[in-house]
Amino acid sequence: MSYVIHMWERPLPASLTEASEIQSRLARLADATNSKFATLAGQLTAVHPDITEIDDDEDGDLGVWSDGPLIGNAGGHLMSIGIQTHAID
């Protein structure tokens, strides 16, 4: 199981329903990589390796991210980060 966190800069939602609508709208936009999100992806994978960089012979539970490469989720307006349940702590 995993959780997905969606982040964007603007607009700030007033409710969970509005946040869901904003996320859906932004997810449909095809944009280049956002430099702020790319930096965040780099910082996160410096601490916890990208799932695509974990050796296939290693235990699958070593990965924190549920998909990868994480930089691929750093779109222009929206970044989505999947976190595996075992790694929440």
Side-chain angles (χ1 to χ4, degrees), residues 13-85:
S15 67
L16 183 57
T17 300
E18 186 178 358
S20 181
E21 292 168 356
I22 293 169
Q23 183 275 326
S24 294
R25 181 173 41 86
L26 294 176
R28 291 190 296 269
L29 299 176
D31 291 334
T33 300
N34 179 315
S35 63
K36 291 178 184 178
F37 293 152
T39 298
L40 175 60
Q43 292 170 336
L44 292 172
T45 56
V47 176
H48 300 286
D50 201 290
I51 195 168
T52 61
E53 297 174 4
I54 296 175
D55 189 333
D56 289 340
D57 295 333
E58 292 183 42
D59 185 354
D61 286 342
L62 294 177
V64 169
W65 318 117
S66 62
D67 70 324
L70 199 58
I71 188 70
N73 298 337
H77 295 287
L78 177 73
M79 182 170 187
S80 299
I81 301 175
I83 303 172
Q84 294 192 45
T85 308

